[in-house]
Amino acid sequence: MRAVIALVLALLAMPAAAQTDNNRVPIPLGSKGPPPVGPTPPSLVVEPVAMMIAACDTDGDGRTSRDEMHRCLAKSFAAFDPGNSGKLGYIAFADWAEKWLGDRNALPSPFETDADGDNQITLAELDAKFDQIFARLDKDKDGYLTRAELLTIRAVINPGFEKRKKGKP
């Protein structure tokens, strides 16, 4: 009986941080504790321009041809060129990028698309830039972009890993 009373008194005298239950591990006072657990970062990402190209698949076969892409570009360009001038200024191009690429600053930028440097983007310049991007993304060089070709696999899944690996906090 005395042993039971002594055990109860000892448990009551223990600090709360030292008591554990099935779901909690004691953390020593003064320590930072375990690292926070968050969602796993994505290992597959898609460039905004690739996302647009995927949306240009008009026949629904899961792959986009250059012709489908060019028709899609012409339609999207015309929506931002209501006067049919054949040119978009940089602000109109940013409006186009926001609608079709998801952000006004998404690549390709107007600076790299404006091949002649006249501060205007023509459909021909946009087509030429997208042809370069198409060629880069068409890994098997078959003239079609599949969803698999439009995905990018991240080399480093945990962005903080490289810093810790080099001995930095």
Side-chain angles (χ1 to χ4, degrees):
M1 179 72 165
R2 287 184 184 180
V4 172
I5 294 173
L7 180 60
V8 169
L9 289 175
L11 286 174
L12 291 174
M14 287 177 55
Q19 296 176 5
T20 64
D21 60 27
N22 291 338
N23 297 325
R24 193 168 46 137
V25 176
I27 300 170
L29 293 175
S31 73
K32 292 182 180 179
V37 177
T40 303
S43 58
L44 295 172
V45 294
V46 63
E47 296 176 50
V49 70
M51 193 168 51
M52 181 196 177
I53 292 171
C56 293
D57 174 22
T58 54
D59 62 7
D61 65 355
R63 57 191 202 151
T64 305
S65 67
R66 282 184 189 268
D67 186 51
E68 285 176 311
M69 180 186 71
H70 288 300
R71 285 193 315 261
C72 181
L73 285 171
K75 184 177 178 181
S76 70
F77 188 92
F80 285 85
D81 182 22
N84 294 321
S85 68
K87 296 182 177 190
L88 298 180
Y90 283 16
I91 293 174
F93 184 83
D95 293 341
W96 175 88
E98 184 173 33
K99 167 124 178 146
W100 293 99
L101 304 178
D103 189 271
R104 299 176 71 77
N105 299 308
L107 297 176
S109 77
F111 305 106
E112 65 181 298
T113 306
D114 182 13
D116 60 9
D118 67 351
N119 296 326
Q120 302 279 318
I121 310 296
T122 64
L123 180 57
E125 288 172 322
L126 189 61
D127 278 337
K129 188 56 169 172
F130 269 72
D131 273 336
Q132 290 174 350
I133 294 166
F134 193 101
R136 175 178 58 86
L137 296 172
D138 189 11
K139 293 173 182 70
D140 61 7
K141 305 300 179 205
D142 68 349
Y144 293 92
L145 291 177
T146 63
R147 302 305 192 263
E149 289 173 306
L150 296 171
L151 290 174
T152 301
I153 299 173
R154 283 190 182 178
V156 177
I157 293 175
N158 183 351
F161 177 75
E162 289 299 316
K163 289 180 184 177
R164 287 193 301 273
K165 187 175 172 185
K166 295 177 184 173
K168 297 178 183 177

